[in-house]
Amino acid sequence: MSRRPELKQRIVTRIQRHLANPLSRRLPSQTVLETTGRTSGLPRRTPVGGRRVGDSFWLVSEFGPKSQYVRNIQADPRVRVRIRGRWHSGTAHLLPDDDAVARLRSLPRLNSAAVRALGTDLLTVRVDLTG
């Protein structure tokens, strides 16, 4: 088994965690997913790309169950999503049977291209918004 996907994930995650995410999290126009840390219990905010469709917000995780925010969702699916500067509460659902590549075609083009290029284990996430 190749270690290349693991190395790719480590490099991309390190860049995102220490450079890209801290900067983009501060942009009011950036969509942000807030989960609860499974160990710390603290809010964890991750910039994401996705799209609201009715009362749901759809996104695709580039590293699937290895993503920290996906692991947080598994522990506690209650989340918040900041869309266009406004926070919405919701419940996240991991959808491993959904065709993530097809789903990316319906999401914002630039983010979808980055997820396809950098991702190693795509996973669709749907957040049912309640407020």
Side-chain angles (χ1 to χ4, degrees):
M1 181 173 173
S2 172
R3 290 178 38 102
R4 191 165 188 215
E6 292 174 14
L7 178 61
K8 184 178 183 180
Q9 179 191 355
R10 275 201 313 268
I11 292 169
V12 170
T13 300
R14 187 163 288 158
I15 292 169
Q16 287 174 335
R17 183 174 294 143
H18 299 291
L19 182 64
N21 289 359
L23 294 173
S24 59
R25 228 185 336 251
R26 296 170 194 247
L27 299 172
S29 61
Q30 174 66 53
T31 302
V32 175
L33 176 69
E34 182 181 84
T35 59
T36 301
R38 63 192 174 282
T39 303
S40 69
L42 298 173
R44 300 296 183 199
R45 293 182 174 175
T46 305
V48 295
R51 174 167 283 139
R52 183 176 183 162
V53 179
D55 289 333
S56 296
F57 182 82
W58 293 84
L59 67 125
V60 174
S61 168
E62 58 202 348
F63 301 119
K66 293 181 182 174
S67 294
Q68 296 302 314
Y69 71 87
V70 170
R71 295 173 71 190
N72 289 342
I73 288 168
Q74 289 172 320
D76 183 355
R78 294 171 299 169
V79 300
R80 293 192 321 149
V81 183
R82 187 181 74 192
I83 306 167
R84 294 188 178 119
R86 186 167 170 250
W87 285 102
H88 304 268
S89 298
T91 303
H93 304 275
L94 306 178
L95 305 172
D97 294 331
D98 189 68
D99 183 344
V101 173
R103 180 68 57 193
L104 284 171
R105 288 189 209 99
S106 70
L107 300 178
R109 191 171 284 176
L110 182 61
N111 181 74
S112 294
V115 169
R116 275 192 299 275
L118 300 174
T120 58
D121 189 11
L122 305 182
L123 174 66
T124 300
V125 179
R126 183 188 77 231
V127 178
D128 295 334
L129 303 172
T130 56

